[in-house]
DNA sequence: CTATTGTGTCAACAAAGCTGCCATAAATAT
DNA sequence: ATATTTATGGCAGCTTTGTTGACACAATAG
């Protein structure tokens, strides 16, 4: 497959902008397909996946830490989080310094399940990276980061570079 | 901002894969923010946006055309489409050859509204393109296309190159 | 002591997926 | 010509996951 490279600044024309918008839509649509299928078998949804993912990535995070990362409301989160705690995927430990906080950790069961979900996306992304090559991957990162809200970029950077 | 370029094939390591997965999540999260805000004012949601967008892009498409593009069920689509027709954003015309079909078109009202939604995403993407430069944009497209399901890539290509 | 913060819970509601069943039009088979 | 099958599209009802707002309580900060 030959790569399409935009000439001069024509890449800012309507056609090229539509291309990015549409690819983002289609890629995201398929990106969530594999984990969604696994989640459905356990009676979970995409929201559970996000919580498992970010708790796995940031062990010991608090509820408000997750809220500001996911940008959803407390109630949405607490419903999903409650289920994951009830079913033993996540454990809450009272904060040592601030005892109001519940620090969140994956249990072994949670770790195993998260890994299973992650692997499907890992394979998909690894495959895409392989086909596209390292230069393309750098561009992919760069554009995505700049699509993020300007005042969120620092937070996202510190998350992804952890 | 200096661009992070992966060295050799280290870009296939876990860290680099997580970076792609997380950027995709955060970028998509913010990518939908502006149109969501406008839609909410009119009592619509993201699903309405997708229908408006793809009908605008593919005037005269049929319901089943939209279904296979969006990969949702008939019912999901028909609720949203029904509202858009009722409120005069979309008009249905009976197909000339196959009179079972309803061909879909944006009305003037629909065109205006779609343009308003599109402009917010256009600005966001144009800005990201500008910051990242044409080479990065090419990589962005390439990786996204390869994240799409392999057996969907032809369909996506024919959509985005229209 | 008082104010603020972190967390949790309840109720009610909305958006947008899903499955199942059914209606109609058109095409096809007998 | 009639009967059956297929394509298309609609309605009812359920589920997930987002929303707002009110409120309670414990713990920390000023």
């Amino acid at each position: 497959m030959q790569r399409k490279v935009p000439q001069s600044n024509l890449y800012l024309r309507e056609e090229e902008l539509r291309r990015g918008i549409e690819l983002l839509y289609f890629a995201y649509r398929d990106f969530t397909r594999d984990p969604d299928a696994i989640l459905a078998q356990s009676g979970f949804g995409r929201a559970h996946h996000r919580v498992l993912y970010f708790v796995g990535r940031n062990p010991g995070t608090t509820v408000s830490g997750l809220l500001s990362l996911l940008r959803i409301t407390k109630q949405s989160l607490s419903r999903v989080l409650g289920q994951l705690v009830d079913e033993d995927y996540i454990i809450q430990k009272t904060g040592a310094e601030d005892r109001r906080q519940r620090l969140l950790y994956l249990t072994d069961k949670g770790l195993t399940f998260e890994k299973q979900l992650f692997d499907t996306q890992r394979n998909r992304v690894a495959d895409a990276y392989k086909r596209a090559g390292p230069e393309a991957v750098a561009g992919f990162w760069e554009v995505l980061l700049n699509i993020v809200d300007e005042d969120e970029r620092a937070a996202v950077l510190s998350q992804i570079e952890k």
Side-chain angles (χ1 to χ4, degrees), chain A:
Chain A
M1 189 180 315
Q2 74 207 15
R3 184 173 311 156
K4 185 143 190 166
V5 180
Q7 299 303 312
S8 72
N9 65 354
L10 294 180
Y11 69 101
L12 292 172
R13 287 180 325 174
E14 170 123 346
E15 183 193 334
E16 326 294 338
L17 297 168
R18 288 213 180 261
R19 175 186 298 263
I21 288 171
E22 291 171 21
L23 278 171
L24 207 43
Y25 169 70
F26 289 118
Y28 199 79
R29 182 196 67 178
D30 290 352
F31 176 65
T32 54
R33 233 210 271 287
D34 299 332
D36 280 356
I38 295 173
L39 288 156
Q41 293 172 348
S42 301
F44 293 139
R46 204 177 288 178
H48 300 85
H49 186 191
R50 292 202 281 261
V51 172
L52 287 168
Y53 182 89
F54 285 110
V55 170
R57 256 304 253 159
N58 307 282
T61 191
T62 61
V63 171
S64 46
L66 273 186
L67 285 178
S68 63
L69 202 58
L70 300 178
R71 298 262 146 203
I72 57 174
T73 57
K74 207 168 46 165
Q75 181 60 352
S76 251
L77 176 57
S78 99
R79 190 190 303 121
V80 167
L81 184 56
Q83 289 171 285
L84 290 170
V85 169
D86 283 352
E87 299 189 30
D88 227 32
Y89 289 86
I90 286 182
I91 189 167
Q92 295 174 317
K93 300 183 185 175
T94 302
E97 299 126 38
D98 186 337
R99 299 186 42 226
R100 284 171 303 185
Q101 296 180 329
R102 269 73 161 178
L103 311 185
L104 305 172
Y105 300 88
L106 294 186
T107 61
D108 286 347
K109 186 178 175 187
L111 276 167
T112 305
F113 191 52
E114 196 281 321
K115 183 166 172 7
Q116 191 191 347
L117 295 168
F118 176 66
D119 282 348
T120 66
Q121 293 192 317
R122 166 213 209 90
N123 290 341
R124 183 182 290 266
V125 173
D127 224 62
Y129 280 11
K130 232 176 286 174
R131 289 168 163 278
E135 288 295 333
V137 171
F140 171 69
W141 291 339
E142 178 85 355
V143 176
L144 283 181
L145 182 61
N146 282 298
I147 286 176
V148 170
D149 276 2
E150 193 167 4
D151 58 359
E152 294 272 345
R153 265 170 228 157
V156 168
L157 266 176
S158 81
Q159 168 66 29
I160 67 179
E161 283 177 351
K162 180 167 293 177

